[in-house]
Amino acid sequence: QKCVIKSEKGAKGKHMKRKNAWEKYNENERKEIFRFCEDYRKFISECKTERECVEALTAKAEANGYRNLNDVITSGEKLQAGDKVYAVNMKKMLALFQIGTEAFENGMNILGGHIDSPRLDLKQNPLYESDSLALLETHYYGGVKKYQWVARPMALHGIVVKKDGTSINVSIGEKDDEPVVGVSDLLIHLAAKQMDKKGARVVEGEDLNILIGSIPLEGEETEPVKANILKILKEKYDMEEADFQSAELEAVPAGPARDYGLDSSMIIGYGQDDRVCSYPSAEAMFAVKDPARTCVCLLVDKEEIGSVGATGMHSRFFENTVAEVMNCMGAYSELGVRRALGRSCVLSSDVSAAFDPNYPSVMEKNNCAYFCKGLTFNKYTGARGKSGSNDANPEYIAKLRNILDAKEISYQTSELGKVDEGGGGTIAYILANYGMEVIDSGIAVQNMHAPYEVTSKVDIYEARRAYEAFLLEMK
Ligand code: MN
Ligand code: MN
């Protein structure tokens, strides 16, 4: 309320110039930024699938005093202000609740994000032998430039569920002593025809086959290399070829995220869309104490393919969970649930495109996101005349400005590229269907949807601060 961004006081024509957020911080404060981002770097190095994110964040939630909502329901215990619970949907979607002192039906402050990322999924019948090599068929997930996913070390993550219900966790290619796999690319020497193709066809979807073996099994006449891979899978995971049918295996870039830039001011790593928003959202939840309004962090799956399915934002999971939480408080009614949803405020966090000096032509410089300028707000996303977008209300944006300026938290406003240059979508419009106040917010990313995406550490830190301020102060 009292403080305005310093640069806004500037002379005419300069008032929207945003300060570089690093300039706000002294040496000690910068150490804290690096410390927080080192935890984030480790998180995205270890959690590369939605399941791994849910597992790690659930453990962290429990360590921070959150209890499984199912246990509360079973015990018949009554929830009250200050209580913290979590709900997991099919191991791929997570909702954290911290009950506020105000009536639940006055609405929640919700941080939303997604934990699925583009990758190569194995098909249901993936394994085959061709010309004495064993390969795996894939179907890419989400929007990718397919030519970026070849000629690089990949790891396999996921689960195999056997007919008796036993579930086997698979992770190959992350430890130093483990092999990696990958998709080959055509050598430049023979690529004259390939290089003339349009970018979308340089590497075709059906050619994203993963090479996984070349040693034949001794004494095996037919497909001996494939037989040898099956033998290894049997020994390592006790799985048969048919078990691939009930498996969910994802090929992702192998290895940890790294500090980026000689000043280590950025992070390069896989799947930062949208774990770079999801992680600080969860961390802000863990930091919040005694909120007035009930605080929620909702991390969803399937955003990259349209938020569909039981674990996507379109599912009824969140609505049903709100009803369960209110019921555990003795505050359930059909109308109460509708009011709680309709009176909620949301920061729907998803990454935005960072201005890239290598590709300035797709950006309109007055309305695009930059590294080091803090949390990015997109009033609307969409494409071709804002189509498909949630368009946040100015009344709501004014409240956000007020909260963030008072704490000198850096933020910026942006569009995803120039008008008619392309576009994007998030989960914002789905939550907005309940009548909530929703705005797209998030962290600027370079190389979005590439195997390695780049973010700015100070932006991650500012987002974390902004999320906490929002949880505590939005009303
Ligand atoms: Mn995305
Ligand atoms: Mn995203």
Side-chain angles (χ1 to χ4, degrees):
Q1 210 150 0
K2 58 186 188 300
C3 184
V4 184
I5 282 194
K6 287 195 181 88
S7 50
E8 286 196 350
K9 291 175 186 161
K12 194 175 151 196
K14 282 188 177 173
H15 71 289
M16 287 314 291
K17 188 131 176 64
R18 307 278 184 192
K19 215 173 143 175
N20 187 310
W22 288 108
E23 291 170 16
K24 293 192 296 191
Y25 295 111
N26 64 31
E27 202 179 325
N28 269 337
E29 291 164 329
R30 288 182 184 193
K31 273 186 194 148
E32 176 56 19
I33 297 172
F34 277 81
R35 190 204 58 76
F36 180 75
C37 290
E38 177 58 12
D39 288 347
Y40 163 69
R41 190 192 65 76
K42 285 183 184 145
F43 175 79
I44 60 166
S45 300
E46 283 159 19
C47 301
K48 296 189 177 181
T49 68
E50 47 288 324
R51 284 173 190 270
E52 288 166 353
C53 288
V54 166
E55 205 181 318
L57 291 174
T58 302
K60 209 159 186 183
E62 285 180 349
N64 279 279
Y66 283 74
R67 286 173 300 153
N68 191 326
L69 178 62
N70 284 337
D71 294 342
V72 175
I73 293 169
T74 310
S75 70
E77 187 189 339
K78 202 170 170 190
L79 289 178
Q80 53 194 7
D83 282 343
K84 297 182 258 188
V85 288
Y86 69 84
V88 172
N89 181 19
M90 298 174 178
K91 301 178 182 170
K92 300 186 213 178
M93 185 176 179
L94 174 68
L96 305 167
F97 289 79
Q98 185 168 350
I99 316 281
T101 48
E102 266 183 34
F104 199 108
E105 68 171 40
N106 287 357
M108 300 160 274
N109 288 343
I110 303 170
L111 297 172
H114 70 90
I115 46 179
D116 60 316
S117 298
R119 63 196 184 232
L120 306 181
D121 283 344
L122 295 200
K123 290 187 184 179
Q124 294 316 107
N125 186 24
L127 183 59
Y128 69 101
E129 179 167 337
S130 174
D131 307 284
S132 298
L133 296 174
L135 297 106
L136 295 167
E137 298 266 10
T138 68
H139 193 144
Y140 64 96
Y141 173 95
V144 295
K145 287 175 160 179
K146 293 185 271 286
Y147 63 78
Q148 293 179 330
W149 293 73
V150 298
R152 62 174 56 255
M154 303 280 281
L156 293 172
H157 289 234
I159 64 161
V160 180
V161 186
K162 292 162 61 92
K163 278 199 284 186
D164 66 2
T166 350
S167 173
I168 308 151
N169 279 317
V170 174
S171 172
I172 314 168
E174 298 294 353
K175 299 197 182 91
D176 284 343
D177 60 350
E178 283 176 348
V180 294
V181 294
V183 180
S184 63
D185 195 5
L186 184 59
L187 63 165
I188 184 69
H189 314 67
L190 300 177
K193 279 186 198 144
Q194 183 195 36
M195 298 305 283
D196 284 338
K197 289 184 185 173
K198 287 174 78 171
R201 303 217 165 272
V202 167
V203 172
E204 306 261 7
E206 276 299 345
D207 297 334
L208 293 171
N209 301 310
I210 295 171
L211 179 58
I212 57 157
S214 60
I215 298 179
L217 183 66
E218 212 182 305
E220 187 72 32
E221 299 271 302
T222 52
E223 302 191 318
V225 179
K226 174 179 165 180
N228 193 49
I229 290 296
L230 285 170
K231 182 170 166 263
I232 292 168
L233 290 174
K234 178 75 184 168
E235 283 164 6
K236 203 166 155 68
Y237 298 111
D238 191 29
M239 69 175 282
E240 317 285 337
E241 184 174 14
D243 292 331
F244 275 117
Q245 293 171 97
S246 48
E248 207 164 74
L249 295 167
E250 308 176 4
V252 296
R258 305 283 299 268
D259 281 356
Y260 196 64
L262 288 187
D263 55 4
S264 296
S265 62
M266 297 165 279
I267 289 177
I268 184 165
Y270 165 70
Q272 299 206 66
D273 173 6
D274 183 36
R275 286 159 210 161
V276 74
C277 299
S278 298
Y279 179 84
S281 291
E283 285 295 321
M285 273 297 281
F286 300 147
V288 159
K289 298 243 162 13
D290 306 320
R293 271 157 74 89
T294 293
C295 295
V296 176
C297 176
L298 178 61
L299 303 179
V300 302
D301 178 30
K302 297 289 181 281
E303 192 279 338
E304 297 294 358
I305 58 167
S307 297
V308 289
T311 55
M313 192 61 243
H314 278 298
S315 87
R316 294 272 179 269
F317 167 73
F318 180 60
E319 186 182 326
N320 292 345
T321 304
V322 168
E324 292 283 8
V325 171
M326 291 183 81
N327 196 45
C328 287
M329 296 172 68
Y332 173 78
S333 72
E334 165 75 18
L335 184 59
V337 172
R338 291 194 202 190
R339 282 180 176 161
L341 290 166
R343 292 167 177 171
S344 289
C345 297
V346 188
L347 289 186
S348 171
S349 280
D350 206 343
V351 292
S352 201
F355 179 81
D356 183 345
N358 281 337
Y359 299 96
S361 69
V362 298
M363 295 295 189
E364 187 265 283
K365 281 187 153 186
N366 289 327
N367 291 282
C368 67
Y370 295 87
F371 274 168
C372 311
K373 302 282 170 87
L375 184 67
T376 300
F377 289 106
N378 289 66
K379 184 174 186 294
Y380 44 83
T381 56
R384 298 174 306 278
K386 299 186 178 182
S387 179
S389 145
N390 168 66
D391 201 343
N393 294 313
E395 292 89 343
Y396 182 46
I397 300 173
K399 287 185 188 176
L400 286 164
R401 289 176 58 207
N402 196 35
I403 291 170
L404 300 183
D405 283 346
K407 290 188 159 18
E408 294 193 60
I409 295 168
S410 301
Y411 62 92
Q412 53 187 327
T413 60
S414 114
E415 296 205 7
L416 190 79
K418 276 182 179 168
V419 175
D420 287 343
E421 197 71 44
T426 64
I427 61 169
Y429 72 99
I430 310 163
L431 285 161
N433 286 340
Y434 290 108
M436 300 177 184
E437 293 281 9
V438 187
I439 186 165
D440 276 293
S441 66
I443 291 167
V445 170
Q446 273 189 0
N447 313 348
M448 197 190 298
H449 284 208
Y452 292 94
E453 300 168 315
V454 178
T455 53
S456 147
K457 289 183 180 178
V458 76
D459 292 338
I460 300 170
Y461 188 75
E462 293 301 281
R464 154 74 181 72
R465 292 182 64 213
Y467 294 152
E468 186 176 350
F470 165 82
L471 288 176
L472 288 171
E473 295 182 31
M474 178 52 68
K475 45 177 136 332

